[in-house]
Amino acid sequence: METYIDFLAGIAAGDKSCLGKKRKPDILIVREKQLPEADYVKLFISLWQKCGEMVGRQTRIIPHTYLSAAKETGCGWLHLPLPVFQKRQKNGMLADMEIGTSVHSVAEAETAQKLGASYVTAGHIFTTDCKKDVSPRGIGFLEEVCAAVDIPVYAIGGIHAKNLSLIRESSASGACMMSEYIFSPMGKT
């Protein structure tokens, strides 16, 4: 676990041994859905502390799903699946938090904005191993989401160095990449 935390902190801090030739991300959403909440919170707190030690927080680090990780670190941000966001927003659990959420339709993006989301990730845009049996939604879908809301929209799903230019040419605020970072020099395990 410590090696993985070092790897993630290296990505967040722009360490070339972790990134290789890849540009460091502006935002690092830490999604580890296989971990129970207690283990996730320990991982996120350790990562938060490690990044604070490594020349400050040059990258915004956002926990996924677990409000306790955001509260215990004071990071002020949280990424949630839309149904969880709707439920927690209705219960008033997200006061003083900046929330991002994942959307898969224009209607979901509009709902997220009405709920007060700070940003959305829209996808999946390209073919991805994460969703092998589901057709990608494509750039047209991404443009529709961007036109429907006034908050930042980040493309997600199957994005890599060879198709990143298509996202840059779109109206999206940016792109989310996973495999590009996980399979970087230190991540090849």
Side-chain angles (χ1 to χ4, degrees), residues 31-36 40 64-66:
R31 182 177 186 215
E32 297 295 337
K33 62 184 180 178
Q34 79 285 358
L35 290 179
Y40 178 91
H64 195 291
T65 305
Y66 299 118

Side-chain angles (χ1 to χ4, degrees), residues 65-76:
T65 305
Y66 299 118
L67 180 60
S68 55
K71 296 279 187 185
E72 288 191 39
T73 58
C75 77

Side-chain angles (χ1 to χ4, degrees), residues 4-102:
Y4 184 56
I5 291 167
D6 289 344
F7 171 67
L8 291 176
I11 288 174
D15 180 348
K16 292 294 182 188
S17 68
C18 294
L19 290 171
K21 294 181 180 179
K22 296 166 185 73
R23 182 176 162 243
K24 90 175 192 58
D26 297 319
I27 300 169
L28 181 65
I29 300 172
V30 182
R31 182 177 186 215
E32 297 295 337
K33 62 184 180 178
Q34 79 285 358
L35 290 179
E37 182 174 2
D39 292 340
Y40 178 91
V41 170
K42 283 176 23 181
L43 176 137
F44 192 82
I45 290 170
S46 294
L47 176 60
W48 184 262
Q49 291 169 344
K50 174 84 64 179
C51 287
E53 295 164 7
M54 297 173 75
V55 294
R57 284 173 190 54
Q58 298 175 353
T59 297
R60 178 174 290 137
I61 304 166
I62 301 176
H64 195 291
T65 305
Y66 299 118
L67 180 60
S68 55
K71 296 279 187 185
E72 288 191 39
T73 58
C75 77
W77 288 82
L78 182 63
H79 189 94
L80 295 170
L82 184 58
V84 176
F85 180 33
Q86 289 171 305
K87 182 179 178 182
R88 289 188 180 167
Q89 191 72 321
K90 195 179 285 188
N91 294 338
M93 297 174 67
L94 303 173
D96 302 321
M97 296 291 302
E98 298 286 337
I99 305 296
T101 190
S102 308

Side-chain angles (χ1 to χ4, degrees), residues 47-164:
L47 176 60
W48 184 262
Q49 291 169 344
K50 174 84 64 179
C51 287
E53 295 164 7
M54 297 173 75
V55 294
R57 284 173 190 54
Q58 298 175 353
T59 297
R60 178 174 290 137
I61 304 166
I62 301 176
H64 195 291
T65 305
Y66 299 118
L67 180 60
S68 55
K71 296 279 187 185
E72 288 191 39
T73 58
C75 77
W77 288 82
L78 182 63
H79 189 94
L80 295 170
L82 184 58
V84 176
F85 180 33
Q86 289 171 305
K87 182 179 178 182
R88 289 188 180 167
Q89 191 72 321
K90 195 179 285 188
N91 294 338
M93 297 174 67
L94 303 173
D96 302 321
M97 296 291 302
E98 298 286 337
I99 305 296
T101 190
S102 308
V103 299
H104 304 95
S105 71
V106 170
E108 287 182 356
E110 292 169 338
T111 297
Q113 181 171 278
K114 286 178 189 164
L115 288 169
S118 299
Y119 70 89
V120 296
T121 57
H124 68 285
I125 304 305
F126 302 112
T127 301
T128 175
D129 287 341
C130 295
K131 303 205 186 283
K132 285 184 181 187
D133 299 328
V134 182
S135 296
R137 292 181 172 86
I139 295 292
F141 161 76
L142 179 62
E143 291 292 2
E144 290 173 13
V145 172
C146 290
V149 296
D150 298 320
I151 57 178
V153 176
Y154 296 92
I156 192 167
I159 300 166
H160 50 75
K162 292 181 181 171
N163 62 21
L164 186 57

